[in-house]
Amino acid sequence: MLEMKLMRELNHENLVRFYGACIEPPNICTITQYCAKGALTDVLADDDMRLDDMFIMSFISDIIAGCLYLHRSELKTHGNLKSSNCLVDSRWVIKLTDFGLQQFLKSDNNERQSKDLMWTAPELLRHPEARVYGTQAGDVYSFSIVIQQIFTRSPPYDTNRMLPEDIIDRVQRGVKPYFRPSISKERCPNTHIWRLMALCWDEMPDLRPDFTHIAKVFKVANGGRTMRIMDNMVSMLETHANHLEELVANRTKQLYEEKKKTDELLYRMLPAVVAERLKQGKYVQAETYDEVTIYFSDIVEFTSLCADSTPLQVVDFLNDLYTLFDGTIPNYDVYKVETIGDAYMVASGLPMRNGNRHAAEIANMALDLLTKVKTFEIRHLPGARLLLRIGIHTGPCVAGIAGLTMPRYCLFGDTVNTASRMESTGL
């Protein structure tokens, strides 16, 4: 009851307000002020959150102010200072939590895991019984580890190569040179803060500064400026809002680029007009065209060519040939319908009508492809001459989408059949 009374009396803008506790099993818990932004650990782990000097100095100032109040209060110590116990409220103010109530939380204190002890001072690691209440010098050591985290935005001791148990063991043994976080001046450019960290994690508790001295050093490090919560809040919110605008703009740009890639891929599979209707969820109705020109071509003696080649060579050969064709047809007002094996099918006059130009477009394209084939080289058969057989016919046809999965734009009618026969019986 005395602990509860003391906790209720503690009141500071950098401490989480304590309201009470529930002691009825199984819902034994404490009830405290809610901090909307979560723990400092979460803020540091968020790569999208840019922490400039103002954020960093404001966070450190808040932690110092909270610890200074606790050390001057009847409670005397925090006892469990770490980044996950530094909560961030909706105004970006740090509030300390998880202090006091040592008797109420005694069983929890005895069951702390190794990763929870990485902020603990070496002398407290050697004497577990002293950890229950902690010491002011121990809080100073914990404070230095939190500062290291703020500047490096990484776990305590900033190493991914060691397990928490190994880190704690090296700190606890206290063998020279003492094991401490490694932080360069590039990561912590403020010389005063960099030196303060080294003082705060000194092996000898008596040589560590108290928070009164820490507050004076920090004021010098901050250029003598007094950190006002409301001023900082407005400034930080403006900075955060500007950063969010920049972040949204970058994400929007990325989304546009991805959409552009997706659309380009879709337009290669379906006509743009048809693709847009499908994207809008609309039904694509089959359409009749009074006059279009259909082109069919295939490779002469393709079966014999396949017999002298491996399957991979056939695929590479067809890919080379049709890549050449695909690079040629954009020069004409035509639409590539499909390729099936060695057959290549192109149409003009659909899906966009072009008057009576379709026959000339297909004929000119066919002559161009014949010219390109004369100089085409088969990689695995150097010197072999490739012959192309082409059939063309003009007439009416119907075009529409067939299927929902892997939909294809298909042409139907006697014009298609006639063009195919012209190809198969041609020279």
Side-chain angles (χ1 to χ4, degrees):
M1 292 300 294
L2 288 173
E3 281 187 340
M4 296 287 177
K5 179 177 180 295
L6 175 58
M7 290 293 291
R8 287 280 293 168
E9 290 173 351
L10 293 173
N11 185 17
H12 189 267
E13 61 187 358
N14 295 117
L15 299 183
V16 170
R17 194 85 172 95
F18 175 80
Y19 295 114
C22 176
I23 58 173
E24 295 180 4
N27 301 314
I28 299 176
C29 61
T30 56
I31 302 164
T32 61
Q33 177 186 359
Y34 174 65
C35 292
K37 301 294 182 183
L40 178 60
T41 309
D42 303 322
V43 174
L44 297 177
D46 186 356
D47 294 333
D48 292 333
M49 171 57 63
R50 184 183 303 164
L51 295 181
D52 58 15
D53 291 342
M54 183 169 56
F55 268 90
I56 290 172
M57 299 305 272
S58 180
F59 285 166
I60 296 174
S61 173
D62 290 342
I63 296 171
I64 292 172
C67 288
L68 192 58
Y69 175 83
L70 284 175
H71 284 199
R72 290 174 176 174
S73 70
E74 192 177 337
L75 193 61
K76 301 300 182 186
T77 63
H78 184 291
N80 191 24
L81 184 62
K82 53 185 177 180
S83 53
S84 59
N85 288 339
C86 299
L87 304 187
V88 186
D89 70 5
S90 57
R91 302 178 304 144
W92 295 98
V93 175
I94 294 280
K95 293 180 179 289
L96 306 183
T97 187
D98 204 19
F99 52 83
L101 299 177
Q102 285 88 356
Q103 291 300 318
F104 185 73
L105 300 172
K106 192 170 183 180
S107 61
D108 286 341
N109 289 332
N110 293 334
E111 295 172 5
R112 287 182 189 172
Q113 298 179 354
S114 296
K115 63 180 180 180
D116 297 321
L117 298 175
M118 295 178 70
W119 293 261
T120 307
E123 68 274 9
L124 297 179
L125 291 173
R126 298 179 195 121
H127 303 286
E129 68 281 356
R131 279 188 232 145
V132 176
Y133 291 94
T135 63
Q136 292 190 355
D139 287 349
V140 172
Y141 184 94
S142 302
F143 167 73
S144 68
I145 304 299
V146 174
I147 293 182
Q148 172 253 311
Q149 282 189 270
I150 292 175
F151 278 101
T152 62
R153 301 189 72 163
S154 61
Y157 295 88
D158 192 23
T159 176
N160 296 319
R161 299 182 300 274
M162 295 179 64
L163 295 172
E165 296 83 358
D166 298 331
I167 293 173
I168 293 166
D169 179 64
R170 289 188 63 177
V171 174
Q172 184 175 351
R173 281 191 284 117
V175 178
K176 291 184 179 180
Y178 303 119
F179 184 68
R180 295 293 185 269
S182 174
I183 177 169
S184 64
K185 288 190 177 182
E186 287 73 23
R187 282 189 162 187
C188 180
N190 192 308
T191 305
H192 296 286
I193 298 293
W194 191 79
R195 289 174 180 168
L196 182 63
M197 264 190 295
L199 286 173
C200 291
W201 62 45
D202 196 288
E203 182 71 14
M204 301 299 294
D206 295 341
L207 297 181
R208 297 173 200 154
D210 59 16
F211 272 101
T212 302
H213 180 74
I214 290 172
K216 292 178 181 177
V217 173
F218 177 77
K219 189 173 182 180
V220 174
N222 199 35
R225 295 186 297 272
T226 303
M227 308 295 286
R228 294 183 59 188
I229 296 298
M230 291 304 295
D231 290 344
N232 281 346
M233 179 194 72
V234 173
S235 182
M236 282 189 283
L237 286 177
E238 287 177 354
T239 302
H240 185 55
N242 292 335
H243 174 57
L244 280 179
E245 289 179 7
E246 181 183 336
L247 190 64
V248 168
N250 288 335
R251 294 291 169 84
T252 303
K253 184 180 178 182
Q254 292 173 11
L255 179 63
Y256 173 77
E257 292 297 330
E258 290 302 318
K259 182 179 179 296
K260 187 177 177 183
K261 291 177 185 176
T262 305
D263 287 347
E264 286 177 357
L265 181 61
L266 186 60
Y267 295 155
R268 290 181 185 181
M269 299 173 65
L270 296 169
V273 179
V274 175
E276 288 300 326
R277 289 188 64 85
L278 288 176
K279 281 165 59 179
Q280 295 168 13
K282 296 179 180 177
Y283 172 70
V284 180
Q285 192 168 3
E287 192 170 354
T288 301
Y289 294 86
D290 294 333
E291 198 173 78
V292 298
T293 299
I294 309 293
Y295 164 101
F296 272 98
S297 70
D298 72 358
I299 299 162
V300 178
E301 297 181 356
F302 180 68
T303 306
S304 302
L305 188 64
C306 290
D308 298 331
S309 311
T310 66
L312 283 176
Q313 288 173 337
V314 173
V315 171
D316 289 338
F317 153 59
L318 288 176
N319 184 52
D320 291 342
L321 178 65
Y322 290 143
T323 299
L324 175 67
F325 283 11
D326 292 345
T328 303
I329 65 174
N331 299 323
Y332 305 92
D333 183 14
V334 298
Y335 174 73
K336 176 185 172 183
V337 181
E338 62 183 347
T339 56
I340 303 174
D342 65 322
Y344 197 80
M345 181 181 179
V346 182
S348 182
L350 60 78
M352 302 299 294
R353 292 174 173 82
N354 58 4
N356 61 357
R357 290 191 296 110
H358 47 83
E361 293 290 335
I362 287 289
N364 287 328
M365 180 203 73
L367 291 170
D368 197 357
L369 292 181
L370 275 175
T371 304
K372 293 283 175 63
V373 164
K374 290 177 182 178
T375 58
F376 178 78
E377 278 228 4
I378 304 172
R379 274 190 280 174
H380 66 285
L381 293 173
R385 188 184 174 202
L386 192 66
L387 295 176
L388 199 65
R389 186 168 51 234
I390 295 172
I392 297 173
H393 188 62
T394 297
C397 82
V398 172
I401 292 293
L404 295 175
T405 303
M406 299 271 307
R408 304 300 299 171
Y409 187 67
C410 299
L411 309 185
F412 303 94
D414 286 339
T415 302
V416 179
N417 297 331
T418 304
S420 178
R421 298 296 177 272
M422 291 285 285
E423 179 269 313
S424 59
T425 59
L427 297 176

